Structure formats: structure tokens, C-alpha cells
Amino acid sequence: MKRRSLLLGAAAGLAAPAVLTPAAPALGASAQPGWSTNPPTPRPLPSRPQNRASALTTLPAETKQVIIVGASSYTTTYATLEAYVRTWSGWHPASAALPARIGSKGFSDNHVEGVPTTPTGVYSIGPTMYGIAANPGVRFPYHRLVSGDWWNENPSSALYNTFQHSATNPGGASEALWKEVPAYTHFGVITYNMAPNVPKPVPNAGSGIFLHQFSTSAGNATAGCVSLAHGHLVDVLTWLDPALSPRIVLSPYAQLGRY
């Protein structure tokens, strides 16, 4: 059975921002003979999900897509990913809430290299998406990983926190991207400690923060990245559109107001 995309309105961009909350049926659509004098007890309509994007105040005016990865506290490793699209009438949910995992030590306002926390803040999506597998149909430029593709996580290197193709390990905790199966089947880069959030990566401030696939079938905490089930990840990556200046917000729910 062909999997239906959970993120709607993608092909139409802003023309059709879909909200997954079921619409109320037209009045009288279920009417049956005799109901006009003895109507059944009405069922309550489902409530709309909380629109967290509407409370964000620091996003650039040109940003028309935002992902919020939130959690109940700083210490939990379980999070939820919510996607929103902005139209003339404001922010609207573009997906169901998706289960996600974050760093094994939760969120941190002061992430550093080697500590498995997920950095809080507002970030862009890196200009290139990557993956061991073929391009699933993303709108960003896509690089299919090959042997020798590394993410440089050596704080002493001038190329710290960048993609690098090299015959030798850049050193430190640098990742051999082509070997990370299944986590790096596909991934997007979260621009923590890199442009445009900072002019140049700050040594030891942390590196290699990605939006990638669960490493285990059941889902697992990460070393600081955000992870999703494969199908959900593909839905998100193919929905993101560089022309709409997307941002990703990482935060416990109680601290979202600062963004």
C-alpha cells in the first residue's frame, strides 16, 4: 500500500496549507427521516491541536515554514515534531504531531562538544541535504554519500563543523557519514554553531546536529541530533522548501516564549 504523506499542502506551497484536524460535517449532512423532531445526541467535535507557532515572535518575516521540536522538560529524551506553514492569515499546522527523540541528556541552552544534549534555539536548515540512499525527492540540493564523506567534529580543525570529503579521518570525533546506517539514510543539517547562526563555528561549542532517522526500529535517544521514523523523516525533508526560508525551533515547551 502506498504510504500517504503526513505533510500536506507541500506541492502547493502556501496555496493550500492543510490542517489535519477533521473538519466538522456540513449541518444536516447526516439527517435522516424523523430526526428533525427527535434529533440524536450530538457528538463533540474534535479539538484543534495547540498552534505553538502562533506564539513565536523572533522568526524572520520571510520564513513561511517552521518546525518546532518540543518536549515537556529539559531532561526528557522524548520530543514531538510539529510543522507549520505561514499564509496571509497566520500560522497553520501542516502535519500531525510526529514522535521524535533528542539527545540522551535532553535539551541544553549551553551545548558543548561531546555532551549528548540537543541545543535549544532557532536554526536554519543547511543548504544541502545528505543521505546514504538516493534522493527521496527533497527540494534542497542533495548529496548522496560516498566513501570518504565526513562531518568534521575536530575542534582543532579549521574545517570544524563542516562537511568534508577526505581520504583520511579529520580527527576528533568526526563521523564517517557513509557508514551510519540507518541513521543517515537521509538527513538535513540543523545550523547549530554554523552559518547563518554564527559567522564561523566556535571550537568545542558542538558540531554535527542533524535531523535524521532513528538508529533503531523502536526509536532511540541521540547524541544531540533530532531523530524520526524513516517515513516521517522523508515527509518532513521533502516538505521543506528553501524558497520559504524554513526554520527549526528546538526547546522545552515552557521556554518557547523566548523565541
Side-chain angles (χ1 to χ4, degrees), residues 28 84-86 88 124 126 151 156 160 174 183 191 229 236-237 253 255:
Y84 296 86
V85 62
R86 179 153 58 180
W88 63 270
S124 298
W151 198 267
S156 299
Y160 177 58
S174 296
T191 61
V236 172
L237 295 184
Y253 292 129
Q255 279 69 45

Side-chain angles (χ1 to χ4, degrees), residues 192-207:
Y192 169 77
N193 196 29
M194 58 190 299
N197 283 78
V198 294
K200 184 178 179 180
V202 177
N204 288 304
S207 57

